[in-house]
Amino acid sequence: MSRQARLHSLSFASALRETLKEGYDRRALTQDLMAGLSVGIIAIPLSMALAIASGVKPEYGLYTAIIAGFIIALTGGSRYSVSGPTAAFVVILYPVAQTYGLAGLLIATLMSALILLGLAFARMGRLIEYIPEPVTLGFTSGIAIVIATLQVKDFFGLSLDRLPEHWWQKVASLATAMPALDPAATAVALATLAVLVLWPRLRLPIPGHLPALLVGLAVAWFAGLMGHSVETIGSRFSYLLPDGTLGAGIPPFFPELAWPWDRPGPGGEPLEMSWSLVRELLPAAFSIAMLGAIESLLCAVVLDGMTGKRHHANGELLGQGLGNLVAPFLGGFTATAALARSAANYRAGARSPLASMVHALVVLAGLLVLAPLLAWLPMASMAALLLMVAWNMSEAPKVVLLLRRAPRGDVLVLLTCLLLTVLFDMVIAIFAGIVLASLLFMRDLSGMTRFTDISRQTKHVPGELAQGWKVFKLSGPLFFAAADRVFDELQAETDGVRGVVLYMDAVPLLDAGGLSALNHFIQVCHQQGVALVVADLQFQPLRALARAGMVPVEGELRFTPTLAEALQPLLNVAVSR
């Protein structure tokens, strides 16, 4: 099997097996351990923050990073990808969690895993190649705006029990509550955000997330000394100990194995699994699966560009499906490859998927050992952390560049996807963006299909043609959006002529619409007594004509393999005269 075929085949643990096959030594192991430790430190606060943003308790983000992160790295097709909770899913997961509780969120994750496995077995790993960049930029920027909006409440310590459903209502509600902001929470958030923004300029090997949270924690402690309490993970969230007492923050133990629907629902009670519940959650599950596929494959493509390696697209979808299939049984919700953590993993020296597996074990150690300390993290600092994630996710410089320099059609697609994501729904935005981009592409492509009268061009016609004959060169694909127009215009050029040669060496495609238009043109030529010669067909148009059963007709329709063969009797007539 060729390398290209292997990259698009479906194989279990393809990235890990390929890495080990290339050779793995003690130095590579050391690099993987250090990279996994570095990314694991980043993942602990991020996983908790993303769980909170998704509408569930912070420990479920840690469970996701541990379980799904480990399984996807072990079984997937991208050697540097780090999987776990990601910001892109917040806009889908938050409404599900609010309506159906944790149980509904885990069921939707389980259903999305089955869809991802279906995509993997259907060899849909090249899916990302068919999504235009303006679409991906549009919906990721829209998601970033929604995430940033959701963080305003905790960033400023606003007293709001629950935000409205629609984005414009959220903005209005936040603006109304803004005069009553908490100065202490705002100071903590601003201090955390300042460290996150300025830290990269120091060019230190330590990630900025941990120093930023420590600074935020210090500001919160100082505010407490001044009599201003700041809400923390421990003051907002609690858990039930085995003896029946409540603990503050996150539980320092691993979750029990349980059916996803037996977890707490919207009222704290388990959900009853039913076909109607599956139907209600199916749109969300489909959205999760599609976004998971896009995010994971997009991350793998970016990493390929950074590393010079090649990922196994279908293998990566298989790994994503397996990780999301197992995680819900242990409290983990939707996971996919996270570009920021994956890039940090590679820059930290990762050599194989083992680094991502180590990252999951570091998060597990943080859960078991650091849980009492994590309870002290301020909610305002977590909001600042997610605000920075949203900014990085938006890719604002790339968006601005596209708005300034790209064709107007691409700008329209980007703005459409962005606005639909913010105002309505991400799935609507993606489908609308793809449809709009496809229509604009077909419009541009159809404009490239044209014909030229080359009857007097000696380059193609080396002599004088027989009286009443014309030669037309067709260029571009003859598909449904262009064929009718071209043949209608061509029909106007055939009035009063004896015969026409169609030179079609520059026609790469002939679809059903093009075939229908050509048939109509042949009928018109027959009615008008115009002889027709079709010359130099490429393979696909020739095969399309053969499947349609189109055959030569004596004195009316002739096919020749070359233009020279089509012109030979016509030029001979001209010479004999």
Side-chain angles (χ1 to χ4, degrees):
M1 184 184 295
S2 67
R3 176 173 175 79
Q4 189 68 19
R6 283 189 290 110
L7 290 174
H8 297 294
S9 63
L10 181 64
S11 55
F12 181 80
S14 54
L16 182 61
R17 288 191 292 107
E18 186 173 280
T19 304
L20 296 177
K21 186 177 179 180
E22 292 175 358
Y24 194 80
D25 54 18
R26 183 178 298 180
R27 181 182 178 186
L29 175 61
T30 302
Q31 289 179 293
D32 280 339
L33 291 174
M34 296 306 297
L37 176 63
S38 176
V39 179
I41 293 172
I42 298 173
I44 291 172
L46 270 181
S47 299
M48 292 193 298
L50 289 167
I52 295 168
S54 299
V56 296
K57 292 183 178 181
E59 60 264 29
Y60 295 108
L62 298 178
Y63 301 157
T64 304
I66 295 166
I67 303 158
F70 188 93
I71 293 174
I72 293 171
L74 175 65
T75 62
S78 177
R79 67 177 71 189
Y80 301 109
S81 291
V82 176
S83 296
T86 60
F89 285 105
V90 169
V91 293
I92 306 176
L93 304 185
Y94 184 80
V96 174
Q98 293 297 301
T99 306
Y100 299 96
L102 174 65
L105 186 59
L106 300 186
I107 295 171
T109 300
L110 188 64
M111 293 167 61
S112 72
L114 297 176
I115 297 173
L116 282 169
L117 290 173
L119 292 174
F121 284 106
R123 308 297 197 274
M124 295 293 288
R126 299 183 66 180
L127 177 72
I128 189 65
E129 297 179 11
Y130 301 100
I131 300 179
E133 185 178 37
V135 175
T136 57
L137 278 179
F139 80 75
T140 53
S141 298
I143 290 171
I145 292 172
V146 175
I147 294 171
T149 304
L150 292 173
Q151 304 320 305
V152 172
K153 174 181 174 292
D154 286 336
F155 192 96
F156 294 102
L158 302 178
S159 299
L160 289 171
D161 294 333
R162 186 171 180 148
L163 290 174
E165 180 181 356
H166 299 293
W167 181 80
W168 60 86
Q169 294 173 334
K170 289 183 177 72
V171 173
S173 180
L174 291 169
T176 302
M178 194 60 71
L181 62 83
D182 183 351
T186 305
V188 170
L190 290 174
T192 306
L193 187 61
V195 175
L196 288 169
V197 172
L198 299 175
W199 190 264
R201 299 183 183 181
L202 301 178
R203 301 185 181 278
L204 297 175
I206 303 172
H209 300 73
L210 183 59
L213 291 175
L214 291 176
V215 169
L217 185 60
V219 175
W221 175 77
F222 181 75
L225 293 179
M226 302 297 292
H228 300 283
S229 61
V230 177
E231 189 176 27
T232 64
I233 287 178
S235 64
R236 179 179 293 188
F237 300 102
S238 60
Y239 60 92
L240 193 64
L241 290 165
D243 60 4
T245 59
L246 285 178
I250 62 174
F253 47 80
F254 205 63
E256 295 181 355
L257 185 68
W259 295 108
W261 45 90
D262 286 340
R263 304 283 181 181
E269 297 296 323
L271 289 177
E272 182 180 349
M273 193 64 181
S274 64
W275 178 244
S276 62
L277 179 63
V278 171
R279 285 191 301 174
E280 290 174 17
L281 290 173
L282 186 58
F286 182 77
S287 303
I288 292 169
M290 291 299 102
L291 182 58
I294 293 169
E295 284 284 299
S296 61
L297 296 177
L298 183 62
C299 177
V301 169
V302 173
L303 289 170
D304 286 351
M306 294 173 60
T307 64
K309 302 292 184 180
R310 293 295 302 276
H311 72 283
H312 294 250
N314 295 312
E316 180 64 7
L317 288 181
L318 177 64
Q320 295 289 336
L322 291 173
N324 284 282
L325 185 68
V326 176
F329 293 93
L330 290 164
F333 58 91
T334 304
T336 191
L339 182 56
R341 274 162 275 173
S342 301
N345 182 44
Y346 169 68
R347 294 192 185 103
R351 295 284 299 277
S352 76
L354 185 62
S356 185
M357 296 160 68
V358 171
H359 132 273
L361 297 177
V362 170
V363 177
L364 174 61
L367 171 70
L368 300 178
V369 178
L370 302 178
L373 299 178
L374 295 174
W376 291 97
L377 292 177
M379 295 302 301
S381 290
M382 306 300 278
L385 188 63
L386 281 180
L387 203 61
M388 195 67 188
V389 170
W391 169 256
N392 292 331
M393 181 182 179
S394 71
E395 296 192 83
K398 190 181 290 188
V399 171
V400 171
L401 186 64
L402 190 146
L403 291 174
R404 290 175 56 188
R405 299 184 180 180
R408 283 181 294 180
D410 288 342
V411 173
L412 178 62
V413 170
L414 185 146
L415 293 178
T416 299
C417 287
L418 190 152
L419 291 174
L420 288 177
T421 300
V422 172
L423 299 178
F424 296 101
D425 180 75
M426 187 205 69
V427 178
I428 294 175
I430 293 177
F431 278 105
I434 292 175
V435 169
L436 180 58
S438 300
L439 291 174
L440 292 172
F441 173 74
M442 286 187 289
R443 182 200 64 181
D444 295 339
L445 194 62
S446 66
M448 298 172 61
T449 304
R450 60 190 185 278
F451 69 90
T452 308
D453 188 345
I454 60 171
S455 304
R456 298 183 181 276
Q457 293 184 10
T458 56
K459 175 182 176 181
H460 298 289
V461 184
E464 186 177 351
L465 280 172
Q467 186 176 2
W469 279 83
K470 287 187 176 183
V471 182
F472 296 99
K473 178 180 175 64
L474 272 65
S475 303
L478 286 173
F479 68 115
F480 63 92
D484 284 334
R485 171 186 58 81
V486 168
F487 282 111
D488 284 345
E489 294 173 358
L490 193 59
Q491 184 178 326
E493 298 289 330
T494 62
D495 290 341
V497 302
R498 290 174 52 195
V500 172
V501 177
L502 296 184
Y503 180 32
M504 296 180 63
D505 76 318
V507 176
L509 173 70
L510 181 68
D511 72 350
L515 189 62
S516 175
L518 177 59
N519 263 320
H520 178 69
F521 181 71
I522 292 172
Q523 291 172 8
V524 170
C525 289
H526 171 69
Q527 293 169 0
Q528 296 180 350
V530 177
L532 182 62
V533 182
V534 179
D536 209 344
L537 286 165
Q538 291 193 32
F539 177 74
Q540 193 280 333
L542 183 63
R543 184 176 60 178
L545 292 177
R547 292 191 63 182
M550 190 173 292
V551 295
V553 178
E554 183 68 30
E556 294 181 6
L557 177 63
R558 184 161 61 96
F559 295 95
T560 63
T562 64
L563 178 61
E565 190 172 334
L567 294 177
Q568 186 177 8
L570 304 178
L571 293 175
N572 287 339
V573 171
V575 170
S576 65
R577 289 183 179 179

